[in-house]
Amino acid sequence: MKIAIVTGASSGMGKEFVRRLVHSRDSYEEIWLIARRKDRLKAIEKHFPGQKFRLLPLDLSDRDQIDLLEESLLKLKPDLSLFVHCAGFGVMGNISRLPREDQADMVDINCRSVVELSCLLLPFMTAGGRMIYMASASAFLPQPGFAVYAASKAFVLSFVRSLRAEERGRGLKITAVCPGAVKTEFFDRALEYEDLPVYKKLVMADPARVVKKALADNEKNREVSVYGPAIKATRLFAKLVPHRVILRFMGGGK
Ligand SMILES: NC(=O)c1ccc[n+]([C@@H]2O[C@H](COP(=O)([O-])OP(=O)(O)OC[C@H]3O[C@@H](n4cnc5c(N)ncnc54)[C@H](OP(=O)(O)O)[C@@H]3O)[C@@H](O)[C@H]2O)c1
């Protein structure tokens, strides 16, 4: 059974990936949708009656719930031809001020779930299969006021680069997607303690465009997918200018 798995499918870019997969040339016998909000997953299923879905309302920060995914995989032994990992969140604010739980939870979902799901899913990936991980432009340099999030996404980028090298022999196409600010529900949680910096409001991208580019870049087996000239310039800047110099001019959160 040829399948695709999308995490973070209940909103934002994950939901947009699902929409594109349903309409893509590649057909999937089943698309497995993972997120905590079951009602949202059911609504997606209802919206695309011609596509078969498997709904997995799981909290990926909970190991026991990841075990439930493992059970389904071992039982059904699917041919996984596309994995998209969008589940994640960020909370803005200085390390000394944010609740410890929020910061640890960011590491859990943004980093630990990447490792656990990759280990779990790699044996089921078909030769030439595709893996897309949502990192962020904040992976390119440290970000005072968004430190844990930026560090967690730097982890994702580094992880993806090594995974690509390790899996080259199997012909897997593996991409880290590194957008700047994208208009999604992400900011409902991100701005719980802080206001959004004005420059981020100016370069807020459309999720549909970011996802379209991510799929196209992954198809070409690009290591990194970066949408928009502002973020491409940021990436170049972060490569050329020493981070200690940039950090001297970066303000922190409150
Ligand atoms: N929006 C941006 O500006 C931006 C920029 C760069 C990178 N990113 C990254 O892109 C990815 C997608 O974000 P988005 O912008 O699409 O945000 P979003 O609309 O808030 O979507 C986040 C998704 O993650 C799921 N999720 C969160 N915690 C989870 C958990 N513990 N277990 C299972 N699922 C969980 C949410 O579903 P439930 O709540 O239903 O569980 C939701 O479907 C994230 O990794 C984010 O860090 C976002």
Side-chain angles (χ1 to χ4, degrees), residues 194-231:
E194 287 276 327
D195 292 331
L196 190 66
V198 175
Y199 74 90
K200 288 206 175 179
K201 283 186 188 154
L202 295 175
V203 292
M204 194 78 97
D206 173 3
R209 289 171 185 247
V210 174
V211 166
K212 185 178 176 198
K213 175 139 180 42
L215 282 164
D217 285 339
N218 177 256
E219 182 63 53
K220 292 177 199 140
N221 197 18
R222 295 213 165 119
E223 182 179 71
V224 176
S225 177
V226 179
Y227 174 79
I231 306 305

Side-chain angles (χ1 to χ4, degrees), residues 8 10-11 13 36-37 59-60 86-87 135 149 153 180 182 184 186:
S10 61
S11 74
M13 288 184 270
R36 290 165 300 182
R37 287 170 291 180
D59 182 346
L60 294 175
C86 285
Y149 182 74
K153 293 302 185 178
V182 184
T184 68
F186 177 85

Side-chain angles (χ1 to χ4, degrees), residues 155-184:
F155 176 96
V156 178
L157 180 55
S158 172
F159 179 90
V160 164
R161 297 177 79 185
S162 295
L163 185 64
R164 275 172 65 86
E166 289 182 7
E167 296 296 329
R168 206 174 287 135
R170 277 214 282 168
L172 296 183
K173 293 176 177 174
I174 308 177
T175 301
V177 185
C178 296
V182 184
K183 241 179 263 163
T184 68

Side-chain angles (χ1 to χ4, degrees), residues 26-212:
D26 303 316
S27 58
Y28 301 94
E29 274 172 68
E30 283 187 6
I31 301 178
W32 293 17
L33 306 181
I34 299 178
R36 290 165 300 182
R37 287 170 291 180
K38 193 176 181 182
D39 54 327
R40 295 277 193 107
L41 301 183
K42 278 186 171 165
I44 293 174
E45 184 177 44
K46 206 169 159 201
H47 193 73
F48 300 108
Q51 172 69 54
K52 192 160 180 221
F53 293 102
R54 187 170 295 263
L55 309 187
L56 298 161
L58 306 175
D59 182 346
L60 294 175
S61 63
D62 179 343
R63 278 211 170 133
D64 292 341
Q65 297 202 22
I66 293 183
D67 288 346
L68 296 175
L69 172 63
E70 183 173 29
E71 280 171 24
S72 300
L73 289 163
L74 292 173
K75 192 168 143 213
L76 298 163
K77 298 192 172 47
D79 296 322
L80 178 55
S81 62
L82 175 66
F83 168 55
V84 183
H85 191 31
C86 285
F89 79 95
V91 183
M92 292 179 183
N94 281 2
I95 298 164
S96 61
R97 289 185 183 242
L98 285 180
R100 192 179 73 199
E101 296 76 23
D102 283 354
Q103 303 194 63
D105 286 352
M106 261 187 277
V107 177
D108 258 3
I109 188 73
N110 295 354
C111 303
R112 200 174 55 74
S113 80
V114 166
V115 178
E116 291 227 41
L117 290 179
S118 302
C119 295
L120 193 56
L121 297 178
L122 277 168
F124 296 93
M125 289 301 303
T126 52
R130 303 170 63 180
M131 305 180 88
I132 299 175
Y133 293 80
M134 288 306 305
S136 163
S138 60
F140 299 146
L141 78 167
Q143 238 181 289
F146 212 10
V148 176
Y149 182 74
S152 74
K153 293 302 185 178
F155 176 96
V156 178
L157 180 55
S158 172
F159 179 90
V160 164
R161 297 177 79 185
S162 295
L163 185 64
R164 275 172 65 86
E166 289 182 7
E167 296 296 329
R168 206 174 287 135
R170 277 214 282 168
L172 296 183
K173 293 176 177 174
I174 308 177
T175 301
V177 185
C178 296
V182 184
K183 241 179 263 163
T184 68
E185 291 172 25
F186 177 85
F187 289 100
D188 297 351
R189 178 101 195 252
L191 301 177
E192 210 174 322
Y193 309 97
E194 287 276 327
D195 292 331
L196 190 66
V198 175
Y199 74 90
K200 288 206 175 179
K201 283 186 188 154
L202 295 175
V203 292
M204 194 78 97
D206 173 3
R209 289 171 185 247
V210 174
V211 166
K212 185 178 176 198

